[in-house]
Amino acid sequence: MAGYLISGDTGYVPEDGLTAQQLFASSDGLNYNDFLILPGFIDFTADEVDLTSALTRTLSLSTPLVSPPAGGSTEAELAIAMALMGGIGIIHHNCTPEVQASEVRKVKQFSQGSLRTPEQPLGAPRDSDSHSPAPGQALTKLQDLVVAPDGVTLREANEALEHSKRGARVRAGCAPSLDAGSRLLCGAAIGTREDDKYRLDLLVQAHVDLVLLDSSQGNSRFQLGMLRYIKSRYPQLPVIGGTVVTAAQAKNLIDAGVDALRVGTGCFTHEAQACGRPQGTAVYRVAEYARRFGVPVIADGGLRTLGHVVKALALGASTVMLGSLLTPPTEPPPEFLPPDATRLSPHQDTAAGHHHSKGDPSGPILENSIHHFIPYLIAGIQHGCQDIGARSLSVLRSMMYSGELKFERRTMAAQLEGGVHGLHSYEKRLY
């Protein structure tokens, strides 16, 4: 009977799924919900996955996560948290140049966790922060300091702090984003107007590590002009250009010397100005072109779930700009139920990341600490790569470009089946 079920020897495996090239061969634009990635073979643990990736031509991050400048969301506090966990924050420019430079300076002067001196203090008693020392009195007694010899690793320092129950520790597995002087990395956004040149000078004086040219359409003489100005005045300063969604847009910025490309267009540009491109197609097309010149791509837009982050990285993005994942709505949406609807009991689907109940919809950042949310994203990306069979993000991209990584289109029925269904209403949470 089994002979009727098996054709060929056991080494036979039929072709299954589509390569990225085949997936995007049609003229239809695809967003992240339009496809899935087929699983691969697992022979390693999730925490072995290396998330190191290039941010610009010259800067790399141990975590491929960037907090955005949009809407004034990133200031010093968030930028510090992002850098401590291996990512980076881009300080917004919805303020005076002096205020923005001050925010950058706060990040660069942050010293907690820096291991610089031959015997570096690692921490102090946790309750010391709540007490002000008397005049002439040291904040922490010498015998209460936790010290380590020169050359101590971050893991060893964290273990020493954990053992002593003192100080704050950087989460394991996330090497902080540091410059050559062991200061936290920090970026800042600027515009393309003439007065932004003054802003640029102040940011450089504050030791900013990169600048992002903040435009909804990066392929313009205004952005190209500012890019060339920066490269002539500060040739070593990395510049992120964008946003772009086509290879033709990317070409002009690459020719002008851009160090990274921000890919994506906002919903306002789509709806009000009739310009844009579905994000999945945009990331794949731009990344496939830009990689030939060693220019990394930052996927910005359309990232509403952890799965979208993994898909963006699988399509060639080196890093992702978290956007709405870090800036959830502050007001609950109106609830509409049919007159005869039955209210359902709360239900948690942790695998899908959905919480089906009525509650505070303020989202993970307003409700929980960024120090919990970012590690959740990091672990999720690692598990996604593990399911795919990629030990690192560079391996993930290599699998995609070689055709080893396979995708599959999803019909609307498949998308409905793959998401939460059969409920009158639900609240979607990331974790």
Side-chain angles (χ1 to χ4, degrees):
M1 186 67 179
Y4 293 98
L5 302 178
I6 300 175
S7 177
D9 59 35
T10 56
Y12 167 73
V13 178
E15 284 293 325
D16 200 3
L18 303 170
T19 66
Q21 186 176 9
Q22 292 169 333
L23 178 66
F24 293 100
S26 71
S27 58
D28 296 333
L30 304 180
N31 66 25
Y32 298 128
N33 288 330
D34 290 325
F35 65 91
L36 285 173
I37 303 170
L38 298 187
F41 177 69
I42 300 174
D43 62 349
F44 53 91
T45 61
D47 58 9
E48 293 180 59
V49 175
D50 181 8
L51 298 184
T52 302
S53 198
L55 174 65
T56 69
R57 295 178 194 257
T58 57
L59 294 176
S60 294
L61 303 175
S62 64
T63 300
L65 304 176
V66 182
S67 67
S73 57
T74 301
E75 295 182 343
E77 185 177 4
L78 178 55
I80 289 170
M82 293 295 297
L84 284 175
M85 291 181 283
I88 193 171
I90 310 296
I91 305 294
H92 71 85
H93 60 127
N94 299 334
C95 56
T96 66
E98 291 77 12
V99 169
Q100 187 184 24
S102 174
E103 292 298 302
V104 170
R105 198 170 288 108
K106 291 176 186 176
V107 179
K108 301 304 293 183
Q109 292 176 349
F110 184 85
S111 61
Q112 181 172 320
S114 298
L115 310 178
R116 301 180 185 176
T117 61
E119 194 172 71
Q120 171 67 34
L122 298 179
R126 288 174 177 169
D127 61 354
S128 64
D129 291 340
S130 61
H131 301 284
S132 298
Q137 179 183 357
L139 180 64
T140 303
K141 295 180 180 179
L142 181 62
Q143 61 267 29
D144 290 333
L145 288 173
V146 182
V147 298
D150 186 25
V152 63
T153 66
L154 178 64
R155 181 183 295 275
E156 292 168 343
N158 278 331
E159 288 175 352
L161 289 173
E162 186 71 19
H163 180 72
S164 68
K165 306 299 183 185
R166 300 172 184 175
R169 58 194 304 274
V170 179
R171 289 186 175 270
C174 304
S177 302
L178 304 175
D179 63 16
S182 296
R183 297 171 300 188
L184 296 179
L185 292 182
C186 181
I190 64 173
T192 58
R193 300 178 183 274
E194 188 65 26
D195 55 6
D196 282 296
K197 295 178 180 179
Y198 169 70
R199 182 184 294 271
L200 172 68
D201 291 338
L202 293 187
L203 292 172
V204 171
Q205 292 170 22
H207 303 289
V208 74
D209 295 288
L210 63 91
V211 293
L212 179 147
L213 297 178
D214 195 14
S215 303
S216 61
Q217 216 282 49
N219 187 29
S220 70
R221 68 179 178 88
F222 310 108
Q223 183 160 140
L224 291 170
M226 178 60 79
L227 175 57
R228 294 188 182 101
Y229 172 81
I230 297 172
K231 286 301 178 182
S232 65
R233 184 168 177 81
Y234 302 107
Q236 302 304 316
L237 181 64
V239 181
I240 299 173
T243 58
V244 298
V245 295
T246 70
Q249 289 177 297
K251 178 186 185 303
N252 289 337
L253 290 170
I254 292 173
D255 289 346
V258 79
D259 297 285
L261 290 166
R262 185 182 178 195
V263 177
T265 51
C267 57
F268 177 80
T269 309
H270 284 206
E271 296 296 328
Q273 299 174 339
C275 287
R277 195 173 206 177
Q279 190 67 2
T281 299
V283 169
Y284 174 74
R285 294 297 184 194
V286 175
E288 198 280 330
Y289 176 78
R291 73 185 181 103
R292 304 168 189 269
F293 307 94
V295 176
V297 158
I298 304 169
D300 178 21
L303 300 172
R304 294 179 177 82
T305 68
L306 178 55
H308 291 170
V309 173
V310 176
K311 290 177 182 180
L313 296 170
L315 292 180
S318 293
T319 56
V320 296
M321 192 164 281
L322 297 175
S324 61
L325 290 182
L326 288 178
T327 54
T330 56
E331 295 184 2
E335 183 181 46
F336 298 100
L337 291 177
D340 58 346
T342 302
R343 185 173 298 280
L344 302 175
S345 300
H347 169 68
Q348 176 73 39
D349 181 356
T350 55
H354 302 301
H355 183 79
H356 314 308
S357 66
K358 182 180 179 182
D360 177 17
S362 56
I365 300 311
L366 301 180
E367 190 173 293
N368 299 289
S369 169
I370 186 73
H371 295 280
H372 294 92
F373 179 60
I374 295 300
Y376 159 80
L377 287 180
I378 293 171
I381 296 170
Q382 289 179 314
H383 279 278
C385 289
Q386 182 192 35
D387 284 347
I388 292 168
R391 287 179 175 268
S392 68
L393 294 184
S394 59
V395 169
L396 177 64
R397 290 188 291 272
S398 296
M399 291 173 64
M400 185 271 289
Y401 287 121
S402 69
E404 181 183 353
L405 189 64
K406 296 299 177 67
F407 301 83
E408 188 161 272
R409 288 286 300 269
R410 291 207 294 177
T411 64
M412 283 303 301
Q415 292 182 39
L416 290 173
E417 181 185 53
V420 177
H421 54 277
L423 300 177
H424 291 301
S425 67
Y426 69 94
E427 179 189 339
K428 188 172 185 179
R429 295 184 181 179
L430 288 171
Y431 75 111

